[in-house]
Amino acid sequence: MNNSIENKQALKKLNLKEKYALMTRDLGWETSYQSMDKAFDQLKLDGIKIHDWDKWEDPFRLTMDSYWKYQAEKERKLYAVLDAFQQNNGQLNISDARYVNTLKLFFTGITPAEYNAHRLFAMLGRQFPGPGAAIACQLQAIDELRHVQTQIHSISQYNKYFNGLHDHRVMNDRLWYLSVPKSFFEDALTSGPFEQIIAISFALEYLLTNLVFMPFMSGAAYNGDMATVTFGFSSQSDEARHMTLGLECIKFVLEQDPSNVEIIQRYLDKWFWRGYKILGLVSMMLDYMLPKKVMSWKEAWQIYFVENGGSLFKDLSRYGLRMPKYWEQTIAEAEHLSHQTWNSFYNFTGAAAFHVWLPSEEDMEWLSEKYPDTFDKYYRPRIEHYKELSQKGERYYNNNLPMLCQCCQVPLISTETVDPTKISHRETVHDDNKYHFCSDGCYDIFIENPDKYVSAWLPAHQIMQGNCFEPDVNTEAKDFDPIAEVMRYFHVISGQDNMDYEGSLDEKNWQQWKGIHSDEVPKAA
């Protein structure tokens, strides 16, 4: 009995560092009946050399008991706001129903990506022999799963009243533009553990989440979407910790052996570019899809990568690292990325799962102000041409399938940085087959490891090969409609989930809801 009391008193006297060491380092062990190399068989895939795992430190010194208390308090506050949002028909307080299309893109693209991040960190928690690193990865895996759940709960209210939010899992697996983030994670999940940590903690956490959870969540607040704002900032507090953990892991690896520097630089070059190519979707969300705009894509990229990223790599330069390859090119492309991406979706809206529209005169004045050197010269004339066609009843749709980049799977819509009137196109031959790329960055990634990318599941190719039909389809039937069957395979209801916002069911319902008394219950879409 006395020994028990003395032990409890001794535990109470532990400081935070001592408690963290007790609850992490003591969970590690050396294998006995199998070698450590067999138990952690993926560690040597990267060529990274680690001499002392005990040197890895979690800057937050987060243990499982404190983690649950911390997250439980966040959950309590989050769901209190979500309950209030639902009980007060919060979906009617947004600026305009067009805004919901940003949620459709977010929900079908980012939410499944968070789930894949959960899978990846669970794998890392198993593959890192250092208990400090392993526990940090396990906690982050739980974080990512929590993000998926809170996003589903937050957006479920919109799913009751708006179209296109009904099947994010199937859409993520099958829709052509969602293969861009999906292929990012498939690439990461099939890499070695150290490449995985660069892919997620740098490319995803530092690049993507900074540009989604900061300017986009500000846009959500500005457009009255308090549900999204609440889960966004609840997630962002986790993301800040994730970024710090990832950077600490990078520094740890660099400090372990000088030969690691070259490998880490190669990974940073690759995953910077892979992460950047996803951001075309974010750029058009900021510039074209928010009814009330907060900042342009060019401004967001300048703040969250050029300035913040420049500071990061200035710090990392003492380890021998430099800014990622082709980062200067992204500054030039910031003048064009959102306009070219939105133009692509305006043309291919029949194969998407959200609505599109042409910017108003007020929107174009804003775009002209934010992009004074490029918008009026290159993009205003195109939009005005589309408006003229639409007014004549000749709305333009592109019914072809776009050529996709073999690496990032983005359609070849980007232009050369030196000439924005010329499509950027690179190609190479591997094993007697020709492969196409959208940029020098994607070309370089393919050349480094071509066998990994030649088997990529490219939606346009799969459609042409007849692999995008449900099992019950009879392609020999007289009434066989391949386009309709592909859309059924996508789980997209043509004309209801996509095409122009003007005249859509979402617009009609919105106009009806805003004209009814607040005590009447809106009819579901």
Side-chain angles (χ1 to χ4, degrees), residues 2 27 149 209 243 285 302 356 409 444 449 458 506-507:
N2 289 336
L27 298 180
Q149 293 169 338
T209 58
M243 284 186 282
M285 289 164 70
Q302 178 67 28
V356 297
Q409 304 198 18
D444 289 352
N449 188 7
L458 301 180
D506 279 353
E507 184 194 42

Side-chain angles (χ1 to χ4, degrees), residues 335-389:
E335 291 281 352
H336 306 278
L337 184 61
S338 67
H339 316 302
Q340 294 172 359
T341 306
W342 185 246
N343 179 70
S344 179
F345 278 94
Y346 182 79
N347 287 322
F348 292 104
T349 181
F354 59 89
H355 298 300
V356 297
W357 55 89
L358 291 173
S360 65
E361 288 300 323
E362 182 181 357
D363 291 335
M364 289 200 288
E365 287 303 313
W366 184 86
L367 290 166
S368 179
E369 177 187 342
K370 297 299 181 181
Y371 299 91
D373 299 326
T374 52
F375 179 74
D376 287 340
K377 182 177 181 180
Y378 297 108
Y379 304 107
R380 182 187 286 271
R382 180 185 296 172
I383 292 170
E384 290 175 343
H385 176 63
Y386 288 153
K387 286 187 175 181
E388 290 175 6
L389 289 177

Side-chain angles (χ1 to χ4, degrees), residues 64-84:
M64 191 63 77
D65 61 334
S66 58
Y67 173 82
W68 292 120
K69 293 176 184 177
Y70 172 66
Q71 295 295 63
E73 179 63 18
K74 287 171 60 176
E75 293 287 271
R76 185 182 65 80
K77 294 177 181 178
L78 169 65
Y79 282 96
V81 174
L82 294 184
D83 286 345

Side-chain angles (χ1 to χ4, degrees), residues 399-404 457-469 482 486 490:
N399 294 317
N400 295 311
L401 295 174
M403 180 181 288
L404 303 180
W457 197 94
L458 301 180
H461 292 191
Q462 297 299 317
I463 292 171
M464 293 292 289
Q465 293 171 28
N467 296 327
C468 293
F469 301 134
V486 167
F490 288 164

Side-chain angles (χ1 to χ4, degrees), residues 9 43 51 78 104 118 238 243 345 359 363 404 426:
Q9 289 174 340
L43 281 181
H51 303 294
L78 169 65
K104 298 175 187 179
H118 150 72
D238 293 334
M243 284 186 282
F345 278 94
D363 291 335
L404 303 180
R426 308 289 183 268

Side-chain angles (χ1 to χ4, degrees), residues 286-300:
L286 288 176
D287 282 349
Y288 283 84
M289 299 180 74
L290 293 177
K292 292 185 177 181
K293 307 183 192 308
V294 289
M295 68 170 63
S296 68
W297 163 253
K298 184 170 74 170
E299 290 169 326

Side-chain angles (χ1 to χ4, degrees), residues 18-289:
E18 292 169 333
K19 183 180 177 183
Y20 171 71
L22 182 66
M23 299 187 72
T24 56
R25 299 298 189 265
D26 280 6
L27 298 180
W29 65 87
E30 293 287 326
T31 55
S32 56
Y33 61 91
Q34 290 287 353
S35 69
M36 290 289 283
D37 286 345
K38 271 194 171 183
F40 301 98
D41 60 339
Q42 295 185 23
L43 281 181
K44 294 185 178 180
L45 292 176
D46 302 89
I48 294 288
K49 297 176 182 177
I50 303 298
H51 303 294
D52 186 359
W53 277 100
D54 284 339
K55 295 288 186 182
W56 196 93
E57 289 282 352
D58 179 353
F60 295 92
R61 295 194 172 92
L62 193 62
T63 56
M64 191 63 77
D65 61 334
S66 58
Y67 173 82
W68 292 120
K69 293 176 184 177
Y70 172 66
Q71 295 295 63
E73 179 63 18
K74 287 171 60 176
E75 293 287 271
R76 185 182 65 80
K77 294 177 181 178
L78 169 65
Y79 282 96
V81 174
L82 294 184
D83 286 345
F85 179 82
Q86 294 173 359
Q87 291 172 16
N88 291 282
N89 283 328
Q91 77 280 353
L92 296 179
N93 295 324
I94 57 175
S95 58
D96 187 89
R98 289 176 302 162
Y99 164 79
V100 178
N101 291 281
T102 65
L103 300 182
K104 298 175 187 179
L105 188 55
F106 180 98
F107 192 49
T108 54
I110 302 300
T111 300
E114 300 260 31
Y115 184 77
N116 279 324
H118 150 72
R119 294 175 58 211
L120 187 146
F121 274 103
M123 291 167 58
L124 287 177
R126 166 62 183 83
Q127 278 301 322
F128 283 157
I135 288 174
C137 288
Q138 289 167 11
L139 294 180
Q140 185 158 340
I142 299 170
D143 280 343
E144 303 294 356
L145 187 58
R146 171 182 173 267
H147 296 173
V148 176
Q149 293 169 338
T150 57
Q151 287 163 20
I152 291 172
H153 292 157
S154 299
I155 296 178
S156 64
Q157 180 71 3
Y158 290 101
N159 185 40
K160 298 175 184 177
Y161 301 104
F162 296 92
N163 297 309
L165 289 161
H166 55 277
D167 206 339
H168 70 281
R169 185 186 62 80
V170 169
M171 289 180 182
N172 182 262
D173 284 344
R174 299 179 181 182
L175 271 169
W176 57 279
Y177 56 93
L178 297 177
S179 72
V180 178
K182 183 172 180 283
S183 72
F184 174 100
F185 277 95
E186 290 175 341
D187 194 344
L189 284 162
T190 52
S191 301
F194 293 102
E195 184 174 353
Q196 290 176 355
I197 200 76
I198 297 294
I200 303 304
S201 292
F202 173 69
L204 179 73
E205 305 289 3
Y206 196 86
L207 281 182
L208 186 60
T209 58
N210 262 347
L211 285 149
V212 170
F213 285 98
M214 297 306 287
F216 178 61
M217 294 307 162
S218 297
Y222 201 49
N223 284 273
D225 181 9
M226 298 315 297
T228 298
V229 172
T230 306
F231 87 66
F233 285 116
S234 178
S235 297
Q236 184 59 22
S237 61
D238 293 334
E239 305 296 355
R241 176 163 45 84
H242 298 171
M243 284 186 282
T244 304
L245 288 170
L247 294 175
E248 286 300 316
C249 189
I250 292 173
K251 292 177 181 179
F252 160 73
V253 171
L254 295 172
E255 290 169 352
Q256 285 289 302
D257 196 283
S259 64
N260 293 339
V261 175
E262 182 181 351
I263 300 172
I264 294 299
Q265 183 67 64
R266 187 169 74 248
Y267 290 162
L268 289 171
D269 289 345
K270 171 185 174 178
W271 289 101
F272 165 76
W273 195 254
R274 291 238 56 189
Y276 169 70
K277 295 306 293 183
I278 299 177
L279 292 170
L281 298 173
V282 180
S283 72
M284 73 174 188
M285 289 164 70
L286 288 176
D287 282 349
Y288 283 84
M289 299 180 74

